[in-house]
Amino acid sequence: MKKIAVVLAGCGVYDGAEIHEATLTMLAIAQQGAEYQCFAPDMEQAHVVNHLNGEEMNEKRNVLVEAARIARGNIKALSEYSPADYDAIVFPGGFGAAKNLCTFAFDGPNCTVNKEVEDAIRATVTAEKPVGALCISPALIAKVLGDVQVTIGQDQGTADAIETLGAKHVKTTHGEIVVDEKYKVITTPCYMLDATISQIADGANNVVAKILEMLK
């Protein structure tokens, strides 16, 4: 059975991992006959957002601890990840991917990437294993790899910022994926578009299906 690492950025769209994207990615992996293991960096979140009113809250939370909510406690620190133990790695979206895993939400093309995240991406690519990225997560893939082909959907400002990093952006709509054959990177826009939960499921399913196809 193929094993896929799923990297979470916390819990909640505004300051962590997007819960629908994360959960539907895990469901897609299970339904397509593979298994998953969740990971997250053991670090403080960039900030905490009240998901009811969108306002920043005066408190601190840990990315790994919060991500454990989605993983039902079955989660490992990203420092424990090794591509030798997994067949692929996937990054669901949510603002946490652009605030905690990297600083793209704050700094755009001048962002920095968490070292453990960068190491995980580079090690997986070096091992010639697939990397999946949903929603805004392709931005951090672009920051790490540079000349990679990705999609975040149709937002021109974000696409321009990604191309500033040396990547090529391809416009897509719901459920569509973009495949970079050189790096084995598969991306889909998800909630970077105005999407329904069923359209998120389509994107997650298509990313996972392409990953498993690449592993045959």
Side-chain angles (χ1 to χ4, degrees):
M1 183 177 286
K2 301 299 183 184
K3 295 179 66 176
I4 300 176
V6 178
V7 181
L8 304 178
C11 180
V13 58
Y14 299 127
D15 58 14
E18 208 298 312
I19 296 172
H20 296 169
E21 293 173 5
T23 304
L24 290 169
T25 295
M26 293 186 281
L27 179 62
I29 292 168
Q31 287 185 331
Q32 294 183 44
E35 59 181 325
Y36 62 83
Q37 172 63 55
C38 293
F39 289 87
D42 186 359
M43 61 179 286
E44 189 177 304
Q45 289 185 188
H47 61 191
V48 179
V49 175
N50 181 322
H51 279 60
L52 188 60
N53 59 22
E55 296 178 0
E56 188 171 345
M57 301 173 69
N58 184 27
E59 61 179 82
K60 296 180 180 181
R61 297 188 187 183
N62 178 281
V63 173
L64 178 59
V65 172
E66 292 301 296
R69 295 174 180 270
I70 298 174
R72 294 175 59 86
N74 182 16
I75 193 166
K76 297 181 179 181
L78 187 57
S79 59
E80 298 181 42
Y81 170 76
S82 170
D85 301 323
Y86 297 90
D87 297 290
I89 192 169
V90 179
F91 294 83
F95 275 107
K99 292 178 176 180
N100 302 326
L101 303 189
C102 70
T103 63
F104 186 82
F106 306 119
D107 304 322
N110 296 318
C111 66
T112 58
V113 179
N114 173 274
K115 186 179 185 305
E116 291 177 358
V117 173
E118 180 169 358
D119 288 349
I121 294 168
R122 290 194 183 281
T124 305
V125 169
T126 298
E128 297 184 343
K129 295 182 177 182
V131 177
L134 287 64
C135 193
I136 192 60
S137 290
L140 73 90
I141 306 297
K143 179 65 177 183
V144 172
L145 298 180
D147 63 330
V148 62
Q149 182 170 269
V150 298
T151 186
I152 50 80
Q154 302 174 17
D155 183 82
Q156 194 60 51
T158 306
D160 289 346
I162 285 174
E163 295 208 325
T164 299
L165 295 170
K168 178 183 179 182
H169 180 266
V170 180
K171 285 188 177 182
T172 52
T173 188
H174 302 292
E176 292 183 342
I177 61 172
V178 167
V179 180
D180 185 290
E181 298 288 351
K182 175 183 175 182
Y183 290 116
K184 295 186 177 180
V185 168
I186 307 99
T187 55
T188 194
C190 287
Y191 278 124
M192 285 299 290
L193 300 171
D194 184 10
T196 65
I197 193 168
S198 62
Q199 289 167 332
I200 302 306
D202 290 341
N205 279 320
N206 291 340
V207 167
V208 172
K210 187 61 180 180
I211 287 173
L212 294 176
E213 178 187 315
M214 286 181 160
L215 293 173
K216 290 180 180 177

